[in-house]
Amino acid sequence: MKIITLVFLLIILVSSSSQALSWAYPFVVWSGNVYEVTTEEVKESILSKRIGEVKTKPNDMTGKYYGNASNEYPKGTQYFQIINISTDTAIAVQVNREKYLKAVFVNKATSQWHPFYYFILFVIAVVLFSVLGKKKVY
């Protein structure tokens, strides 16, 4: 039982040590990259293809997020590749039916686990320690 308690406490400590995001500017996260959304409009005629969309919103209290996220735009907001610009440099964000804004690469996103993964890790730890705890050492 002591081992299970220790594992549970370690999981809590590890999950609470992530770095909060800067909310100094509107951003989107796509494919592991953080992009600052600028006020520069992008014409629809220079958009290549749809590459993704906002799937999650960061937690307002901790700044934690996972996957394709945005602190400004709602779930479903679409991302597009811009012709002749690498997605490592910039992408376009559709802010309404006819308006697209340029989002420029800022940095790599911090790795965040989906909360469900913590639950799975905890279940595995409980099963593992209960099986190991039943073996008697002579």
Side-chain angles (χ1 to χ4, degrees):
M1 190 62 162
K2 290 180 185 179
I3 293 174
I4 293 173
T5 305
L6 177 64
V7 170
F8 182 70
L9 290 173
L10 287 174
I11 290 172
I12 290 172
L13 290 174
V14 169
S15 67
S16 64
S17 65
S18 68
Q19 186 177 20
L21 296 172
S22 171
W23 294 65
Y25 52 84
F27 67 84
V28 295
V29 180
W30 173 73
S31 191
N33 295 327
V34 178
Y35 297 85
E36 177 180 353
V37 181
T38 68
T39 57
E40 181 181 344
E41 290 194 36
V42 178
K43 293 182 182 178
E44 189 173 1
S45 61
I46 65 166
L47 298 179
S48 176
K49 62 181 179 178
R50 181 183 173 277
I51 56 175
E53 67 182 52
V54 175
K55 299 271 187 187
T56 64
K57 298 288 280 181
N59 181 310
D60 291 336
M61 300 301 288
T62 64
K64 290 182 184 179
Y65 65 93
Y66 52 91
N68 294 342
S70 177
N71 67 339
E72 181 78 18
Y73 300 99
K75 293 177 185 176
T77 298
Q78 297 187 13
Y79 308 147
F80 292 85
Q81 184 175 16
I82 303 170
I83 295 174
N84 296 326
I85 297 179
S86 168
T87 55
D88 292 336
T89 303
I91 61 174
V93 177
Q94 185 174 16
V95 295
N96 64 38
R97 288 192 109 199
E98 299 173 359
K99 185 175 182 180
Y100 302 84
L101 295 178
K102 185 183 231 179
V104 295
F105 174 80
V106 178
N107 59 283
K108 287 285 191 187
T110 56
S111 177
Q112 299 290 336
W113 277 16
H114 189 285
F116 182 70
Y117 296 150
Y118 288 110
F119 174 73
I120 294 297
L121 182 63
F122 176 72
V123 169
I124 290 170
V126 168
V127 169
L128 181 66
F129 286 114
S130 65
V131 168
L132 291 176
K134 289 182 180 180
K135 292 185 178 183
K136 293 184 179 183
V137 178
Y138 296 97

